[in-house]
Amino acid sequence: TLVKSRQVGWPAEMPSRKERRKRTAKRKEAQRISAEQAKLSKYERVVHKFLEGEYSRLHVVVALEDEADTITESLTALHDAIGDLILDNEPGVATAQESKDLCMRILEELTGKDAEELEKDEKANENKENKEDEEEEDAEEDYASNYDADFTEEEIKAIEKMKKEERAKAKDGCTMCSRLMPLTWHHLIPKTTHRKMSRNYSYKEMATRGIWVCRPCHSAIHRTHDNMELAEHFNTVEALEECPTLQKWVKYAAKQRPTTVQGKHAKLRYKK
């Protein structure tokens, strides 16, 4: 309600005292909220914007901060990291699709991109990874066609026997992330570098130097370093484990559910 001012020089009309008090209280409340928001991290602000459950807020923030370098790469990565937390603890989220939709809104807020842009980015990343895997396998197949000529029949049998023994040792899971999954043989000195590296190592040593790893970790290793880098600088398990990028990957991968399929086109199919 507005009342007329009786003092000279004042506006013709002004808010009542009650109205002014309401405006002052509203302004102070806005300043308080703004100050509280300024103390929150980027992830806390996003989580408080989209989530209601106190338990899910706390644990999702921790998950986002732990996987800061990975979660914004794709919707799949974000959903793998926090999807189950949201589904189990967020009020109003009852299905996996609702959890995924909420993850999409969180990812949009974190990246500043809309859903269409994120879907295009994810598809482009997936195509790029598939292409890199295909090129890597094609290169190894081309070289492998002539590779056996470097060994006698007895040496080939010895190599296969050694690989079976290493496979038996890996029954506890992937050498990198320790998950129980189908395993692939990673040559610590990649086959395509054996000709060049033969001045430092025997062919038999290069053929038998390797580890059993799951397909996601195998892809992560080759995505992080090219074959010559692996051959020259990361040709031991210890060297791989000391790589900062792979350390972050292994920490992330170890928290993910194991897959039951193997191969470059395998998607995450969770065990029941």
Side-chain angles (χ1 to χ4, degrees), residues 88-177:
D88 294 341
N89 304 293
E90 180 63 16
V93 177
T95 66
Q97 187 58 49
E98 289 176 348
S99 172
K100 195 167 187 177
D101 292 342
L102 192 50
C103 286
M104 174 61 83
R105 294 201 294 275
I106 291 174
L107 189 60
E108 289 175 351
E109 185 74 15
L110 287 173
T111 61
K113 298 180 179 180
D114 60 28
E116 187 176 348
E117 289 177 303
L118 291 170
E119 288 174 2
K120 286 181 180 179
D121 289 347
E122 184 157 11
K123 191 170 182 179
N125 287 335
E126 184 179 339
N127 291 338
K128 182 181 178 182
E129 288 184 6
N130 287 340
K131 186 177 179 180
E132 289 174 351
D133 285 344
E134 288 173 358
E135 289 175 351
E136 178 192 333
E137 291 188 7
D138 288 345
E140 290 211 0
E141 286 174 5
D142 290 342
Y143 182 67
S145 62
N146 299 316
Y147 187 73
D148 289 345
D150 293 321
F151 303 98
T152 65
E153 186 174 346
E154 290 74 18
E155 286 176 328
I156 292 174
K157 288 181 180 178
I159 290 170
E160 292 302 319
K161 181 181 178 181
M162 181 281 309
K163 289 173 71 174
K164 287 181 181 179
E165 291 173 353
E166 290 295 322
R167 180 71 178 261
K169 292 179 185 177
K171 63 182 180 180
D172 292 333
C174 170
T175 304
M176 298 298 290
C177 70

Side-chain angles (χ1 to χ4, degrees), residues 126 129-130 133 181-182 215-216 219 259-269:
E126 184 179 339
E129 288 184 6
N130 287 340
D133 285 344
M181 294 174 61
R215 182 69 257 178
S219 296
T259 64
T260 59
V261 292
Q262 180 176 355
K264 63 188 178 185
H265 298 302
K267 303 298 181 186
L268 288 178
R269 298 179 186 175

Side-chain angles (χ1 to χ4, degrees), residues 3-249:
V3 297
K4 292 185 178 180
S5 170
R6 296 183 179 180
Q7 296 188 26
V8 178
W10 282 36
E13 294 181 345
M14 62 176 294
S16 65
R17 180 177 296 178
K18 185 177 181 180
E19 188 67 25
R20 293 199 303 273
R21 285 176 177 172
K22 284 184 178 180
R23 290 185 183 181
T24 301
K26 189 175 181 180
R27 186 175 64 255
K28 288 182 177 180
E29 179 65 13
Q31 290 173 347
R32 183 188 66 79
I33 293 174
S34 178
E36 289 181 355
Q37 288 287 328
K39 296 177 183 178
L40 299 178
S41 69
K42 173 178 69 174
Y43 301 114
E44 287 175 322
R45 285 196 295 271
V46 172
V47 165
H48 280 258
K49 180 175 181 179
F50 291 103
L51 303 185
E52 297 176 1
E54 289 300 322
Y55 183 91
S56 55
R57 280 182 180 179
L58 172 64
H59 288 75
V60 167
V61 167
V62 172
L64 294 178
E65 290 177 345
D66 282 349
E67 314 302 339
D69 295 332
T70 307
I71 49 151
T72 56
E73 290 182 359
S74 68
L75 176 60
T76 301
L78 180 64
H79 188 251
D80 287 345
I82 65 173
D84 287 342
L85 281 171
I86 291 175
L87 184 59
D88 294 341
N89 304 293
E90 180 63 16
V93 177
T95 66
Q97 187 58 49
E98 289 176 348
S99 172
K100 195 167 187 177
D101 292 342
L102 192 50
C103 286
M104 174 61 83
R105 294 201 294 275
I106 291 174
L107 189 60
E108 289 175 351
E109 185 74 15
L110 287 173
T111 61
K113 298 180 179 180
D114 60 28
E116 187 176 348
E117 289 177 303
L118 291 170
E119 288 174 2
K120 286 181 180 179
D121 289 347
E122 184 157 11
K123 191 170 182 179
N125 287 335
E126 184 179 339
N127 291 338
K128 182 181 178 182
E129 288 184 6
N130 287 340
K131 186 177 179 180
E132 289 174 351
D133 285 344
E134 288 173 358
E135 289 175 351
E136 178 192 333
E137 291 188 7
D138 288 345
E140 290 211 0
E141 286 174 5
D142 290 342
Y143 182 67
S145 62
N146 299 316
Y147 187 73
D148 289 345
D150 293 321
F151 303 98
T152 65
E153 186 174 346
E154 290 74 18
E155 286 176 328
I156 292 174
K157 288 181 180 178
I159 290 170
E160 292 302 319
K161 181 181 178 181
M162 181 281 309
K163 289 173 71 174
K164 287 181 181 179
E165 291 173 353
E166 290 295 322
R167 180 71 178 261
K169 292 179 185 177
K171 63 182 180 180
D172 292 333
C174 170
T175 304
M176 298 298 290
C177 70
S178 301
R179 289 181 295 172
L180 294 173
M181 294 174 61
L183 302 176
T184 60
W185 178 256
H186 167 63
H187 288 87
L188 288 168
I189 302 176
K191 278 185 177 182
T192 53
T193 67
H194 282 194
R195 300 288 186 195
K196 292 181 179 179
M197 298 300 292
S198 61
R199 62 183 180 273
N200 300 323
Y201 306 94
S202 69
Y203 278 104
K204 187 173 182 179
E205 182 181 0
M206 291 188 288
T208 55
R209 182 184 287 201
I211 55 175
W212 287 100
V213 293
C214 64
R215 182 69 257 178
C217 284
H218 202 163
S219 296
I221 291 170
H222 285 282
R223 188 167 60 245
T224 305
H225 303 288
D226 62 37
N227 285 345
M228 281 309 299
E229 286 179 339
L230 290 172
E232 293 177 341
H233 307 295
F234 299 94
N235 54 29
T236 64
V237 178
E238 292 75 18
L240 290 174
E241 289 176 343
E242 289 174 3
C243 171
T245 303
L246 289 176
Q247 284 178 352
K248 292 178 182 178
W249 161 258

